Amino acid sequence: VIFERKRCHACDVLHGGPFSRPEIETLLLQLESVQLDINSKEPLLTPAGKKISAEKWAEQLNINYSPTIIFFDNSGKEIIRIESVVWFYRLRNVLNYVLTGAYKKYPTFQLWRQAKNMK
């Protein structure tokens, strides 16, 4: 879930930079994703099945920056979040952490990166 704001320079940088790279686009296509306006009052259904507005959900999730990207597992539990602008290599690594299911073995991204670098 990508939480953004209208007229958000950091959001524009994310879309014009890492999101426009073919490798990132390929990885993103493997996920169900949605872009939300953090200020929207329109109702939506969260990954956990709760009906709420994007604005209220962002408050509940304690989102302080835009863009914020939150990855959820199939049960609606948060896996990891990225706040503000993220560059290509970090975004690629976070996507690989999520897509490979590494979060099931390594409860934090940092532990996964350490284990990966030791091999």
Side-chain angles (χ1 to χ4, degrees):
V1 178
I2 306 161
F3 287 91
E4 300 177 311
R5 295 179 197 281
K6 294 179 180 169
R7 294 176 297 282
C8 167
H9 176 70
C11 301
D12 294 341
V13 169
L14 180 65
H15 286 276
F19 275 10
S20 67
R21 302 272 304 259
E23 185 176 349
I24 297 299
E25 287 179 355
T26 299
L27 293 171
L28 286 171
L29 287 172
Q30 296 176 52
L31 298 169
E32 290 183 45
S33 62
V34 64
Q35 291 173 260
L36 300 176
D37 178 345
I38 202 169
N39 297 313
S40 175
K41 295 181 182 355
E42 292 293 317
L44 59 84
L45 196 59
T46 70
K50 184 176 180 183
K51 191 173 182 179
I52 192 169
S53 72
E55 180 180 56
K56 293 286 185 198
W57 192 31
E59 286 175 23
Q60 287 180 2
L61 291 170
N62 209 21
I63 293 176
N64 298 306
Y65 305 100
S66 61
T68 292
I69 306 168
I70 303 181
F71 298 88
F72 295 92
D73 68 12
N74 289 333
S75 67
K77 182 180 176 215
E78 183 176 329
I79 298 169
I80 189 171
R81 72 175 57 192
I82 300 171
E83 297 176 320
S84 197
V85 176
V86 63
W87 301 112
F88 170 75
Y89 293 105
R90 177 151 170 86
L91 180 56
R92 184 194 61 194
N93 287 336
V94 168
L95 286 165
N96 283 322
Y97 172 71
V98 172
L99 288 167
T100 63
Y103 64 91
K104 295 173 187 172
K105 181 176 179 183
Y106 300 97
T108 69
F109 177 72
Q110 290 77 13
L111 288 174
W112 175 70
R113 290 290 297 147
Q114 288 172 350
K116 216 174 156 213
N117 287 334
M118 288 184 202
K119 293 180 182 178

